[in-house]
C-alpha cells in the first residue's frame, strides 16, 4: 500500500494518550514531550487529569510517517540506526593525498611542456637527458597520484591526468625524434600543434577541477 503523510484534519485532532504521565509528575504549565536521543519536542495537552500528544507531532518527533488503513491510523517509525547513516557527513569528493599528488604531477608535466616549448621556440638543441629526466619525474608523480586515488572523483580525475601525461609523452617523443633525425623544427611548431593545444586545455581543466574540488569532465583532455 502506498505510503502518504498524514496531517491533522481541520475538524478532528488526533491525540495519543500518555498513561500515567499526569499522575507521576507535578502539574506544570505548557508541558512538552521529549524523547531521549532525538531532537525536538512535542506539545502535551492535559485533559481530565490525563496527558495527550498529537499523533502527527509524535510522528515528526520520531521521524516517522502516518497512513490510513481502513479504520486504523498506522504510525511507521524508521528502524534504529536508519536515520544515523543518513546523518553521516558526506565523504569529500577528493582525498587530501590525491589532491597533493595530482598537483605535483601537474606541475611536473607543466615544467616538461614549458621547457620543451622554450627550447623549440628559441631553436635550442634538445638535450636528451633533460627530456628523459622530465619524463621520469612526471611518470613518478603520476604513479604517486594513482596510489593516492581512493574516491570515485580521485579515479575520474586520474584518468584525465593520465591522458595529459600520455599526450605530453607523445608530443615530446615526436619532437625529439625529429631533432635526432636532424629535421628542421620550426620555432612555432608547438603553437601550431593540435596536441600541444590539447595539453594546455587539459591543464586548465585539471587546474579548475583541483582548485574547485569538483569533478567535471569537459572533454578537453581527449
Amino acid at each position: 500500500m502506498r505510503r502518504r503523510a498524514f496531517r491533522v484534519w481541520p475538524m478532528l485532532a488526533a491525540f495519543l494518550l500518555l498513561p500515567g504521565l499526569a499522575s507521576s509528575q507535578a502539574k506544570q504549565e505548557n508541558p512538552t514531550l521529549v524523547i531521549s536521543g532525538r531532537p525536538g519536542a512535542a506539545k502535551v495537552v492535559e485533559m481530565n487529569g490525563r496527558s495527550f500528544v498529537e499523533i502527527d507531532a509524535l510522528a515528526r518527533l520520531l521521524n516517522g510517517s502516518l497512513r490510513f488503513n481502513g479504520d486504523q491510523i498506522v504510525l511507521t517509525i524508521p528502524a534504529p540506526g536508519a536515520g544515523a547513516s543518513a546523518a553521516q557527513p558526506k565523504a569529500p569528493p577528493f582525498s587530501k593525498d590525491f589532491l597533493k599528488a595530482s598537483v605535483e604531477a601537474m606541475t611536473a608535466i607543466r615544467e616538461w611542456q614549458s621547457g620543451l616549448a622554450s627550447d623549440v621556440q628559441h631553436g635550442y638543441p634538445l638535450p636528451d637527458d633533460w627530456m628523459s629526466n622530465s619524463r621520469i619525474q612526471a611518470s613518478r608523480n603520476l604513479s604517486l597520484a594513482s596510489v593516492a586515488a581512493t574516491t570515485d572523483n580521485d579515479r575520474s580525475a586520474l584518468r584525465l591526468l593520465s591522458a595529459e601525461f600520455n599526450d605530453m609523452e607523445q608530443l615530446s617523443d615526436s619532437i625529439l625524434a625529429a631533432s635526432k633525425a636532424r629535421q628542421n623544427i620550426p620555432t612555432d611548431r608547438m603553437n601550431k600543434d593540435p596536441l600541444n593545444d590539447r595539453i594546455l586545455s587539459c591543464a586548465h581543466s585539471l587546474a579548475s577541477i583541483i582548485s574547485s574540488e569538483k569533478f567535471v569532465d569537459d572533454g578537453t583532455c581527449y
Side-chain angles (χ1 to χ4, degrees), residues 8 114 127 147 150 154 157-158 168 180 208:
V8 179
S114 62
V147 172
T150 55
D154 287 352
L158 179 63
M168 187 60 224
K180 288 182 177 180
S208 176

Side-chain angles (χ1 to χ4, degrees), residues 4-9 12 14 55-56 65-68 73:
R4 60 172 177 167
F6 171 77
R7 302 183 67 178
V8 179
W9 294 355
L12 176 63
I55 295 179
D56 61 335
S65 61
L66 294 168
R67 65 181 175 87
F68 286 113
I73 299 176

Side-chain angles (χ1 to χ4, degrees), residues 17 25 35-36 39 45 52 61 76 80 88 105 107 140 150-151 154 167 183 188 201-202 219:
L17 173 64
Q25 65 177 26
I35 298 180
S36 179
V45 178
F52 301 83
L61 194 58
T76 302
Q88 291 291 334
T107 299
R140 181 183 296 115
T150 55
T151 70
D154 287 352
D167 282 348
Q183 297 177 4
D188 60 351
S201 296
C202 183

Side-chain angles (χ1 to χ4, degrees), residues 118-127 179:
S118 178
D119 286 348
V120 170
Q121 181 180 1
H122 293 91
Y124 297 152
L126 301 178
S179 176

Side-chain angles (χ1 to χ4, degrees), residues 97 167 182 219:
D97 288 343
D167 282 348
R182 300 185 181 278

Side-chain angles (χ1 to χ4, degrees), residues 66-185:
L66 294 168
R67 65 181 175 87
F68 286 113
N69 184 13
D71 60 350
Q72 295 179 331
I73 299 176
V74 180
L75 170 61
T76 302
I77 302 174
S85 60
Q88 291 291 334
K90 294 182 179 180
F94 293 101
S95 63
K96 291 183 178 180
D97 288 343
F98 177 77
L99 287 176
K100 179 181 178 181
S102 62
V103 168
E104 292 176 352
M106 290 165 55
T107 299
I109 295 174
R110 183 177 66 249
E111 292 176 351
W112 184 8
Q113 187 277 339
S114 62
L116 178 61
S118 178
D119 286 348
V120 170
Q121 181 180 1
H122 293 91
Y124 297 152
L126 301 178
D128 193 12
D129 56 343
W130 180 87
M131 299 277 280
S132 177
N133 290 337
S134 296
R135 184 199 319 271
I136 292 173
Q137 185 62 52
S139 178
R140 181 183 296 115
N141 290 354
L142 179 63
S143 296
L144 293 175
S146 177
V147 172
T150 55
T151 70
D152 289 340
N153 279 332
D154 287 352
R155 288 182 281 270
S156 295
L158 179 63
R159 287 195 293 271
L160 303 187
L161 191 58
S162 298
E164 174 83 335
F165 173 84
N166 292 336
D167 282 348
M168 187 60 224
E169 187 175 44
Q170 181 180 343
L171 178 64
S172 178
D173 287 346
S174 174
I175 295 179
L176 187 59
S179 176
K180 288 182 177 180
R182 300 185 181 278
Q183 297 177 4
N184 179 50
I185 302 177

